Amino acid sequence: PSTIRCDKMTYDGGWARVRGNIVRMRREGMTLLTQHFDYNINQELGIYFNGGTVDRNGELLESDRGHYYAQPDLFMFAGNVALRNVDYTIACDTMQYDMNTEDILFLGPTRIWQDDNFLSASYGWQKKTINETFFTDNVYMCSQDNELWAHSRY
């Protein structure tokens, strides 16, 4: 179950309009912080706008806007999306993130920094459960010693 804490909430029988200096939605292993959050209790759908940050066990995901689907525990981030953790930093336009599997779908221009390595592409995905990644359309990779341009990288 989700827990929401806020300064002010209005409810119209379907949507809870949640506002505050800090609106905090907690669910097992995850906390969303924002100031503007609408939540449909019947559909278990949350929408934030004007910025939000999701903390998933120290991994931070930030975006201008986002949709949260409680079933199947999935986020859709849009606008200035950033994912930061101890291993890498990702910046992209639009990202789908599965909170259960940690699988990511990159749905727009994407840039990834890891140590001295850099990758950019238009689209791609990362499947953590099977340790695979795929990027396509204008793939560019560089490291301290190498540089690569390709249509796709698997």
Side-chain angles (χ1 to χ4, degrees):
S2 299
T3 304
I4 300 173
R5 295 181 190 253
C6 61
D7 295 331
K8 179 182 176 185
M9 180 183 77
T10 58
Y11 183 68
D12 67 10
W15 286 92
R17 314 269 184 223
V18 186
R19 306 294 183 263
N21 288 324
I22 297 178
V23 173
R24 179 176 283 120
M25 183 194 74
R26 288 192 180 174
R27 201 166 163 99
E28 185 177 335
M30 178 271 292
T31 301
L32 165 67
L33 300 174
T34 187
Q35 292 181 327
H36 302 91
F37 187 65
D38 294 345
Y39 192 75
N40 186 299
I41 293 170
N42 299 324
Q43 297 175 2
E44 293 187 272
L45 166 65
I47 300 171
Y48 69 86
F49 47 95
N50 292 336
T53 300
V54 174
D55 183 341
R56 186 178 188 287
N57 301 319
E59 182 171 71
L60 298 178
L61 297 112
E62 301 172 319
S63 67
D64 294 338
R65 300 171 309 283
H67 285 73
Y68 175 67
Y69 303 89
Q71 299 300 325
D73 207 12
L74 181 83
F75 267 99
M76 185 66 104
F77 299 100
N80 297 308
V81 180
L83 184 155
R84 294 178 184 88
N85 63 32
V86 296
D87 297 320
Y88 51 82
T89 299
I90 299 174
C92 65
D93 177 67
T94 306
M95 174 194 293
Q96 177 182 299
Y97 189 98
D98 186 314
M99 300 299 276
N100 292 314
T101 63
E102 299 180 53
D103 291 347
I104 301 172
L105 182 61
F106 304 103
L107 299 165
T110 303
R111 296 168 311 284
I112 302 174
W113 295 267
Q114 183 177 24
D115 301 322
D116 291 333
N117 303 310
F118 175 76
L119 179 141
S120 67
S122 296
Y123 306 97
W125 50 260
Q126 175 186 35
K127 295 191 179 272
K128 264 195 171 174
T129 53
I130 57 175
N131 198 28
E132 288 185 359
T133 58
F134 175 78
F135 292 97
T136 189
D137 198 13
N138 299 317
V139 177
Y140 172 72
M141 297 171 56
C142 71
S143 65
Q144 194 168 10
D145 300 322
N146 299 300
E147 194 170 35
L148 169 75
W149 290 268
H151 178 267
S152 299
R153 181 224 177 246
Y154 183 76

